[in-house]
Amino acid sequence: MKIVCVIPARYASTRLPGKPLADIAGKPMVVRTYERALLAKKPSEVIVAVDDERVLDAVKSAGGKAVMTAKNHPTGTDRLAEVATKIPDADVIINIQGDEPLIDPQIIDDLAQVFVDDENLQMATVKTPMTEEEKDKPSNVKVITDKNDFALYFSRSLIPYPRENTGVTVYKHIGIYGYRRDFLLQYAKMQPTPLEQTESLEQLRALENGYKIKVITTDKHFVGVDTPKDLVEVNEIYQNLNL
């Protein structure tokens, strides 16, 4: 089975312009994310999908592999699918967000493994227990699953709503996905759905069309970069790690 990691890195960002090139302890964020992905053992290749020459040059200057994609893709999934069309021998595509410079390589391997274990699986992602501080932030996406660890719903709101104190764990969705290549190409062609547009969460498109999403659990916690404050926090973490 050929597993390929693809890191979509869009230059424009509403809250953090030029985000892929944001400095993290002396290196662009996209390069930090690429380096973390390279530490995973199961993928045979890691590719950064870019829409700007400056990001392309930054990755290549660091010795990484990057490909230019169309600038007008409406979503990261569309950018991912464009790359997938160019690697027809890939069986599984792992999508790592370019703003996850602290992604744990073991999570990448764990996500890849579920496709090895289940030949019928089409899509999978990751969750982790949410801290109290994270629960009220819409930028922290929540996920609830059934007893077999398939997603029931993703939301920016707090789910489940704690009307009764049952002690149920609230889970944070981590923005890393795995897809069978053929399903990814099909998924990218689906029309946006009402819940997807309401929550601004692409993964709801799969659920609304009746597809299952496996959700594996990790106890790892790491900070993605969505705001300038996140960038400061990630820089502090890298400084302490001496990476």
Side-chain angles (χ1 to χ4, degrees), residues 11-37:
Y11 185 79
S13 172
T14 303
R15 283 177 285 192
L16 205 60
K19 185 161 70 167
L21 300 182
D23 182 81
I24 296 180
K27 293 183 181 181
M29 177 164 57
V30 67
V31 172
R32 290 292 189 186
T33 304
Y34 179 85
E35 291 175 342
R36 297 291 292 175

Side-chain angles (χ1 to χ4, degrees), residues 59-79:
V59 175
K60 290 188 172 182
S61 294
K65 182 172 184 178
V67 296
M68 184 63 71
T69 56
K71 292 181 180 291
N72 60 347
H73 283 309
T75 69
T77 302
D78 296 301
R79 197 172 310 284

Side-chain angles (χ1 to χ4, degrees), residues 173-188:
H173 174 231
I174 297 174
I176 173 174
Y177 298 91
Y179 306 89
R180 296 278 175 195
R181 176 183 177 274
D182 291 347
F183 174 74
L184 171 62
L185 297 179
Q186 176 188 355
Y187 175 56

Side-chain angles (χ1 to χ4, degrees), residues 4-12 20 30 33-34 46-57 59-60 64-71 73 75-87 93-99 184:
V4 178
C5 278
V6 180
I7 305 171
R10 188 171 68 94
Y11 185 79
V30 67
T33 304
Y34 179 85
V46 180
I47 303 170
V48 183
V50 307
D51 66 349
D52 189 282
E53 291 286 348
R54 288 165 289 187
V55 184
L56 183 77
D57 292 343
V59 175
K60 290 188 172 182
K65 182 172 184 178
V67 296
M68 184 63 71
T69 56
K71 292 181 180 291
H73 283 309
T75 69
T77 302
D78 296 301
R79 197 172 310 284
L80 191 72
E82 180 185 338
V83 177
T85 62
K86 300 173 182 178
I87 42 176
I93 306 292
I94 302 292
N95 175 12
I96 304 167
Q97 304 301 319
D99 56 6
L184 171 62

Side-chain angles (χ1 to χ4, degrees), residues 126-225:
V126 184
K127 65 179 180 179
T128 189
M130 184 168 272
T131 65
E132 287 299 322
E133 293 75 18
E134 293 172 323
K135 290 181 179 180
D136 293 330
K137 297 179 181 178
S139 59
N140 292 321
V141 178
K142 295 80 178 174
V143 59
I144 49 175
T145 57
D146 64 17
K147 291 182 178 180
N148 295 313
D149 295 321
F150 285 99
L152 292 171
Y153 195 65
F154 298 84
S155 183
R156 296 184 183 279
S157 298
L158 181 60
I159 53 173
Y161 179 79
R163 181 176 179 179
E164 302 292 340
N165 183 15
T166 61
V168 68
T169 301
V170 177
Y171 284 98
K172 176 182 178 180
H173 174 231
I174 297 174
I176 173 174
Y177 298 91
Y179 306 89
R180 296 278 175 195
R181 176 183 177 274
D182 291 347
F183 174 74
L184 171 62
L185 297 179
Q186 176 188 355
Y187 175 56
K189 293 177 182 178
M190 296 176 192
Q191 292 298 311
T193 51
L195 293 176
E196 171 194 358
Q197 294 175 314
T198 300
E199 294 259 15
S200 189
L201 296 174
E202 284 180 70
Q203 61 271 37
L204 291 175
R205 186 188 312 176
L207 295 185
E208 286 183 85
N209 278 285
Y211 293 97
K212 289 188 173 184
I213 304 175
K214 187 75 171 182
V215 186
I216 65 172
T217 305
T218 179
D219 59 358
K220 303 290 185 182
H221 285 269
F222 41 84
V223 181
V225 179

